[in-house]
Every structure is written in structure tokens, then in C-alpha cells.
């Protein structure tokens, strides 16, 4: 053995066994079941055993796709996620750059504040932000002089309020990761660029951004995944999807279908749609990695 | 790095402080409101301080049946998930970085893809699975899925740390007569511990935050419930008990805050280590 990197034996599979068992049983098998349930008629009657399950083929899907509400929810989900991702990345990157420009004390202050927001559990963050924007007792309306304007009443303003909370609790991950990435860039490179008279924007665009691309890809992908499946914030802050379901996103929609209306197969079909969308994003990401010549 | 001229740096520092204040404000307001006496919380002219701090809201929260128990339940769930997934991920990350074997790349891609699975979409099949295992209404129904969901990311993140340990070290250990198990647990494990800490932050948060599974799988036995559900006892959308909500929120946030502050350095350097790779 010339290298400590071992040739094929049974050992790697022994090391992998626990992970594969857990992932197989609690991730792969549920995905298979999700697909299966989405092809059957599965409601309360079938769950309690009162009626046999019947094969529906793509019946659930055609029911779903012919329902205008589904398309509306899908569109809202994509737009909402896109808004969250773009804002999170913009805020996170801008503050990461800011962190590199200040001395230790302000840096620590911002870092600690961000860690606090990051550490806040989703349910807690949701209720706190609702309280901040409460029409009767919240400070925000007082500061902005908005009287008793209700943020959760209108469709857009409710989505906007949830977006603020989501950005607040997710920008720290982007900020800290990008900051760690910038710190890994040798100082001489930046100094040389500055000596050559490059502007801040130019340094970011031509020096930092290319070196940070792998990190930026990772944080973008993570943000897409997290924001596309936001559940808790929407559920708590808009009380289960907003007035008349105006603030539903796919996740909450699927939950309502399955557990509130006992339409398990319809809920599963929505789950499959989400899965396929995120799979498409993943494949795009893998292609990107491949094109960048990244070795796995 | 002195890239900025003095006035600009001062402006940057002032804005850093200002942004820190804005970012921390929701947490400040949460703790402040938790300590405000009842009359002050529901005032239409909220003050950013309180003259008569009171523990009434906390008394109400802990007076709620089983609140302490929910807290322990949440802690049990989060800690089990952190420990078990860290151990499993460590073994798996070692396998994919220190061995060459068939299907290695395929596995890596699978772990990557697994990270993208919207776990919320799996609530329905997992519900039936937990029912069939007889795990509904037990903490197991929260622990098991979260272990599975935090694994792919944990493996992916730990990979960089395991890779960073020089192979010469492994050869030296074998030459000195160490067994593979001994190398794994007594040499490699302590070396990647900082990475495990950074990874554990993510699994801790996902388990501690869990709302959907607690809501869906703990349906009849509320003694098995966790903090997010306990919090919502006080949050009735029509007439929320804001004092109770803020006190419960404070109690729920503090353990995570403490955990974060403890691992803060490791987290930052850990993310740096994971992304440099």
C-alpha cells in the first residue's frame, strides 16, 4: 500500500452502512411511497380501511393541473422564493464585504447580531416579527407613522412581511460563508488590485467574484432550497396560508390538502411536483459544477 | 486590510453598528416584551424600555401544563439528532474521502441530490411509515426523520475536513501499529471535531426548529410535544397573549443562542474550511 487512500475493500461499505440504511429507510423509501400514493385514490376512507385503495394513474395530477388554484400557488411559490433568494443573497454579500472593511469591534457587533438572528427558531422568529408589525401594539407602525395598518391583511404586504422575516433569519448564513470565503482570498491580491487603482466595485466584480464563485454557487443553491420550501413562517405568520388562501405556497398547500382535507393523494402529487422542481435545480447545479471542472 | 480611506472606514463602521442594531432589534423586542408587565405590552404607544420589569409572563408560560416537559422533549430530540447524525456522517465522510471504490462518485452525487429533497413533501409518506412502526406520538417520529435529513448536508460538509487531514498521518499511524479503528476514533475523529461542531449547528437548528413534523406526528399525546407547539398555545391568531408568546419565545431561543455563541469561532472557521475545499 503506497497511499493511505485505500483500494476497494469491504471497509468503505462498512463505514457507509449506517448512513445508507438511514437514508434508504427514511428518505429513499418515503420518496418511493410519495410517488405511489400520488397515483392512488387515498383519502380518510382508505386510511381507516373503510374503502379499498384504487389505482388512479395520473388522475390526481390531472385534477391538480386543471385546478387554477394550483397554478396560482405554484406561481406565488416561485416568485416568493425568488424574492427571498435575491434579497438574502444581496444583503448577505453586501454585509460580508462590509465585514472585511471594518475593525474588530464593529465586526463583532454585526457578527453577533447576525448569529442571534440565525439562531432564532423559525416559529419564534415568526411570532416576534408578527408582534413587531402588529397593528395595535407593534413598534413598527408607530415608527413609520402607519396608524393601525394591518400587514397581514393584504396579499402582497403579507408576503412582504414573511419575506422580511425569512431574509432576516437566512442572510447570516450567506454573510458568514461569503465572509469566510473572502478571508481565504490572499490579501496581496486585493492590495495589488487596489494599488492598480481599481474601484471597490471593480475589485468585487473582477477579483473577488470569480474567486468566490464556488461559494456563491453553494449559498445560492442552499437559499433556493430553503426558500422554496418555507413552511413554518408562512404557516404561522399568515395563519395557515393567509385570508382565503391568498398567501399559500406549495408546501402549506400540500399540508392543507393532506392533513386538513385528508386528500393524501393530492397532497402527495403536490409533493412530487416540488420534488421534481428541486431536482431540476439540482441537475442544473451539477452541470454547473461539472462545467467548472470541479472534482467530486 | 486598509482598503478604505479613513472617513469611508468610519462611515462603514457606523453603518455596521447601525445594521447590527436593526438586526438585533427583533430579539431585543422579544426579551423586552417578555419582561413587560401585562398592561404595558398591550399599549398602543409601545416604549422601547420598561419601568417595571415583571416575571408574570414567564410564570404564565411555566405554569402552563408540561411546558418544562416540552422543553426537555425538544432538547432530547435536538441532541439525539446532533449526536447520531454526527457519528454516522463522520463514518460516511471518511469512507468517501479516504477510500477509492466503485460507485464512490455516484454516492457523492446521491448525497448532493438528497440535500435538495424537500423534506416537507415527505410528511405524508413518513406519517404512514411512523404509524406502521408504531412511532406516532413518540419523540422517535421526530428524531428519525431529522437524522436522515441532516445527514446528506453533514456528510457533504465534513468531507472537506476529513480531506484536510494529511494521508501521511494515516500511514504513520499504521506503521506505528495502530489498527484502522484506532486511527479512526483516536486520531481522525479529534482532528475533524471542529468540522463536526460546525456541522452540528445545522442539524441542531433543523431539529430544534421542527414545527411541521411535531404538528403532524404528535397528534394525540401532547406530553410528547415540543416547544414550537407549546409556543402556539399562547399564540391564538385572533387574540394572541403577546406577553406569553414573547416569554415562551425567549425561553425557546436562549438555548440556541448559547449554543451559537459557544461554537461561534468554530462555526466561522468551519464554514471557511468547508467552502475552501
Amino acid at each position: 500500500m503506497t497511499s493511505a487512500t485505500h483500494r476497494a475493500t469491504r471497509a468503505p461499505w462498512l463505514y457507509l452502512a449506517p448512513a445508507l440504511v438511514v437514508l434508504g429507510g427514511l428518505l429513499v423509501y418515503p420518496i418511493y411511497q410519495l410517488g405511489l400514493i400520488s397515483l392512488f385514490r387515498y383519502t380518510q376512507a382508505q386510511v381507516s380501511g373503510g374503502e379499498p385503495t384504487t389505482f388512479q394513474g395520473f388522475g390526481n395530477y390531472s385534477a391538480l393541473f386543471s385546478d387554477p388554484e394550483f397554478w396560482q400557488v405554484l406561481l406565488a411559490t416561485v416568485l416568493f422564493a425568488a424574492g427571498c433568494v435575491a434579497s438574502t443573497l444581496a444583503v448577505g454579500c453586501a454585509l460580508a464585504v462590509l465585514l472585511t472593511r471594518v475593525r474588530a469591534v464593529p465586526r463583532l457587533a454585526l457578527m453577533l447580531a447576525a448569529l442571534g438572528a440565525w439562531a432564532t427558531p423559525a416559529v419564534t422568529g415568526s411570532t416576534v416579527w408578527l408582534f413587531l408589525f402588529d397593528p395595535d401594539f407593534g413598534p413598527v407602525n408607530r415608527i413609520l407613522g402607519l396608524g393601525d395598518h394591518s400587514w397581514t391583511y393584504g396579499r402582497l404586504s403579507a408576503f412582504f412581511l414573511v419575506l422580511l422575516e425569512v431574509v432576516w433569519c437566512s442572510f447570516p448564513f450567506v454573510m458568514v460563508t461569503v465572509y469566510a470565503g473572502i478571508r481565504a482570498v490572499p490579501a496581496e491580491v486585493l492590495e495589488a488590485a487596489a494599488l492598480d487603482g481599481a474601484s471597490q466595485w471593480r475589485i468585487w466584480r473582477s477579483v473577488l467574484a470569480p474567486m468566490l464563485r464556488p461559494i456563491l454557487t453553494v449559498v445560492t443553491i442552499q437559499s433556493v432550497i430553503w426558500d422554496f420550501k418555507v413552511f413554518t413562517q408562512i404557516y404561522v405568520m399568515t395563519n395557515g396560508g393567509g385570508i382565503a388562501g391568498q398567501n399559500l405556497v406549495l408546501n402549506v398547500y400540500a399540508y392543507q390538502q393532506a392533513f386538513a382535507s385528508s386528500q393524501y393523494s393530492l397532497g402527495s402529487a403536490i409533493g412530487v411536483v416540488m420534488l421534481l422542481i428541486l431536482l431540476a435545480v439540482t441537475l442544473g447545479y451539477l452541470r454547473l459544477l461539472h462545467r467548472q471542472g470541479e472534482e467530486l | 486590510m486598509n482598503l478604505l480611506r479613513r472617513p469611508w472606514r468610519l462611515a462603514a463602521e457606523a453603518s455596521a453598528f447601525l445594521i447590527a442594531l436593526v438586526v438585533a432589534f427583533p430579539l431585543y423586542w422579544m426579551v423586552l416584551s417578555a419582561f413587560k408587565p401585562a398592561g404595558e405590552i398591550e399599549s398602543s404607544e409601545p416604549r422601547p424600555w420598561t419601568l417595571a420589569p415583571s416575571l408574570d409572563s414567564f410564570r404564565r408560560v411555566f405554569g402552563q401544563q408540561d411546558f418544562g416537559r416540552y422543553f426537555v422533549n425538544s432538547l432530547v430530540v435536538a441532541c439525539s439528532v446532533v449526536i447520531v447524525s454526527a457519528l454516522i456522517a463522520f463514518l460516511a465522510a471518511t469512507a468517501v474521502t479516504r477510500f477509492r471504490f466503485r460507485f464512490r462518485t455516484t454516492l457523492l452525487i446521491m448525497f448532493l441530490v438528497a440535500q435538495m429533497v424537500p423534506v416537507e413533501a415527505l410528511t405524508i409518506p413518513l406519517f404512514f411509515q411512523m404509524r406502521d412502526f408504531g412511532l406516532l406520538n413518540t419523540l422517535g417520529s421526530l428524531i428519525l426523520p431529522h437524522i436522515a435529513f441532516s445527514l446528506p448536508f453533514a456528510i457533504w460538509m465534513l468531507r472537506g475536513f476529513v480531506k484536510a487531514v494529511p494521508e501521511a498521518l494515516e500511514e504513520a499511524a499504521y506503521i506505528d501499529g495502530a489498527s484502522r479503528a484506532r486511527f479512526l476514533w483516536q486520531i481522525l475523529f479529534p482532528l475533524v471535531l471542529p468540522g463536526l461542531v460546525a456541522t452540528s449547528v445545522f442539524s441542531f437548528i433543523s431539529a430544534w426548529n421542527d414545527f411541521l413534523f411535531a404538528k403532524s406526528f404528535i397528534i394525540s399525546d401532547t406530553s410528547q410535544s415540543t416547544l414550537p407547539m407549546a409556543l402556539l398555545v399562547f399564540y391564538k391568531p385572533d387574540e394572541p397573549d403577546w406577553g406569553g408568546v414573547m416569554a415562551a419565545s425567549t425561553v425557546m431561543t436562549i438555548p440556541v443562542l448559547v449554543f451559537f455563541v459557544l461554537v461561534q469561532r468554530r462555526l466561522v472557521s468551519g464554514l471557511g474550511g468547508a467552502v475552501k475545499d
Side-chain angles (χ1 to χ4, degrees):
Chain A
M1 193 163 52
T2 51
S3 154
T5 307
H6 312 276
R7 292 254 142 230
T9 53
R10 260 187 327 193
W13 295 105
L14 278 176
Y15 290 17
L16 281 165
L20 294 181
V21 168
V22 171
L23 289 176
L26 292 157
L27 201 71
V28 179
Y29 182 68
I31 292 177
Y32 161 74
Q33 268 199 319
L34 182 78
L36 207 60
I37 296 173
S38 77
L39 298 177
F40 282 83
R41 188 182 147 71
Y42 212 63
T43 61
Q44 195 50 47
Q46 283 79 21
V47 173
S48 57
E51 272 177 42
T53 51
T54 46
F55 185 70
Q56 293 267 298
F58 290 99
N60 291 313
Y61 291 94
S62 56
L64 195 62
F65 294 156
S66 59
D67 181 358
E69 190 180 17
F70 165 76
W71 294 105
Q72 214 178 47
V73 173
L74 179 67
L75 182 70
T77 309
V78 171
L79 291 179
F80 175 71
C84 288
V85 172
S87 324
T88 307
L89 289 176
V91 173
C93 290
L95 295 186
V97 174
L98 182 65
L99 278 181
T100 62
R101 298 300 141 89
V102 297
R103 280 171 293 184
V105 179
R107 190 188 316 139
L108 190 69
L110 185 48
M111 197 70 109
L112 284 179
L115 284 180
W118 192 357
T120 305
V123 179
T124 325
S126 305
T127 54
V128 172
W129 277 77
L130 272 179
F131 187 41
L132 286 173
F133 284 79
D134 187 89
D136 300 318
F137 315 122
V140 174
N141 279 9
R142 293 299 156 280
I143 294 169
L144 297 180
L146 284 175
D148 57 359
H149 168 76
S150 168
W151 290 80
T152 48
Y153 188 73
R155 182 173 196 226
L156 278 181
S157 73
F159 265 129
F160 178 69
L161 179 57
V162 182
L163 179 137
L164 284 181
E165 200 282 335
V166 170
V167 172
W168 176 71
C169 66
S170 47
F171 88 84
F173 167 72
V174 177
M175 182 187 86
V176 172
T177 314
V178 173
Y179 172 69
I182 298 179
R183 290 297 298 271
V185 173
E188 302 86 66
V189 177
L190 298 177
E191 272 160 26
L195 280 178
D196 287 346
S199 65
Q200 294 294 323
W201 171 242
R202 189 64 208 265
I203 291 179
W204 166 257
R205 231 187 67 86
S206 307
V207 183
L208 280 174
M211 294 184 91
L212 292 178
R213 192 170 293 143
I215 296 178
L216 292 176
T217 325
V218 171
V219 294
T220 310
I221 288 292
Q222 286 297 345
S223 304
V224 170
I225 298 166
W226 285 336
D227 296 346
F228 191 76
K229 51 188 202 188
V230 163
F231 177 87
T232 310
Q233 282 93 339
I234 289 274
Y235 193 91
V236 175
M237 295 179 78
T238 70
N239 191 20
I243 297 156
Q246 61 178 5
N247 293 109
L248 281 173
V249 289
L250 280 181
N251 245 329
V252 183
Y253 189 51
Y255 176 85
Q256 303 285 30
Q257 292 291 341
F259 291 97
S261 319
S262 292
Q263 296 284 347
Y264 295 102
S265 29
L266 220 48
S268 298
I270 301 169
V272 171
V273 171
M274 285 182 65
L275 200 68
L276 290 178
I277 294 177
L278 282 170
L279 195 68
V281 175
T282 315
L283 292 178
Y285 174 50
L286 279 172
R287 264 189 58 189
L288 205 71
L289 278 184
H290 188 69
R291 219 181 298 152
Q292 287 173 0
E294 192 109 339
E295 196 211 341
L296 287 172
Chain B
M1 243 186 309
N2 257 325
L3 290 169
L4 292 180
R5 266 186 265 265
R6 200 177 146 76
W8 284 109
R9 199 188 60 202
L10 290 180
E13 293 184 341
S15 42
F17 277 122
L18 200 69
I19 294 165
L21 279 182
V22 172
V23 171
F25 186 73
L27 288 176
Y28 169 72
W29 200 258
M30 171 183 86
V31 178
L32 172 77
S33 309
F35 283 102
K36 274 184 176 176
E40 237 181 273
I41 298 168
E42 315 232 314
S43 139
S44 53
E45 291 301 324
R47 274 195 308 238
W49 66 81
T50 176
L51 298 173
S54 127
L55 289 174
D56 282 353
S57 300
F58 288 98
R59 273 194 209 106
R60 215 158 51 247
V61 165
F62 282 101
Q64 182 210 338
Q65 207 190 349
D66 285 343
F67 187 84
R69 185 174 195 154
Y70 296 157
F71 191 90
V72 174
N73 285 347
S74 271
L75 217 53
V76 169
V77 169
C79 292
S80 323
V81 170
V82 164
I83 294 169
V84 177
S85 61
L87 290 177
I88 298 180
F90 168 63
L91 285 174
T94 306
V96 294
T97 41
R98 308 203 72 95
F99 293 93
R100 304 268 147 229
F101 54 96
R102 274 186 74 184
F103 306 122
R104 195 187 68 102
T105 315
T106 318
L107 265 180
L108 276 172
I109 293 176
M110 270 178 50
F111 291 144
L112 189 72
V113 175
Q115 282 178 52
M116 321 297 174
V117 174
V119 296
E120 293 79 1
L122 298 184
T123 315
I124 298 165
L126 280 168
F127 176 81
F128 294 121
Q129 209 173 334
M130 292 303 145
R131 187 195 59 185
D132 296 343
F133 286 164
L135 285 176
L136 281 186
N137 295 315
T138 68
L139 296 184
S141 68
L142 307 181
I143 296 172
L144 284 176
H146 275 291
I147 293 176
F149 299 144
S150 43
L151 265 184
F153 186 66
I155 296 173
W156 201 250
M157 229 176 124
L158 267 180
R159 216 167 52 105
F161 290 91
V162 179
K163 233 188 211 169
V165 175
E167 300 200 339
L169 201 67
E170 187 168 355
E171 284 168 34
Y174 292 146
I175 290 167
D176 290 345
S179 67
R180 212 176 249 173
R182 201 182 154 94
F183 167 75
L184 197 65
W185 295 111
Q186 295 196 335
I187 300 171
L188 194 57
F189 187 76
L191 282 173
V192 297
L193 205 57
L196 278 169
V197 171
T199 313
S200 68
V201 168
F202 291 90
S203 34
F204 186 89
I205 293 207
S206 84
W208 187 263
N209 271 355
D210 173 71
F211 169 67
L212 180 56
F213 290 165
K215 194 172 167 55
S216 317
F217 301 160
I218 309 289
I219 31 184
S220 52
D221 185 359
T222 49
S223 75
Q224 299 297 299
S225 208
T226 49
L227 280 178
M229 306 314 292
L231 174 68
L232 292 186
V233 170
F234 298 95
Y235 180 70
K236 305 261 187 320
D238 299 330
E239 40 173 339
D241 166 7
W242 284 120
V245 175
M246 291 304 121
S249 296
T250 305
V251 176
M252 190 175 163
T253 306
I254 282 175
V256 204
L257 266 178
V258 170
F259 182 67
F260 257 73
V261 171
L262 285 178
V263 303
Q264 186 236 119
R265 285 192 162 206
R266 292 243 161 110
L267 177 66
V268 177
S269 66
L271 280 172
V275 295
K276 232 185 308 177
D277 159 51

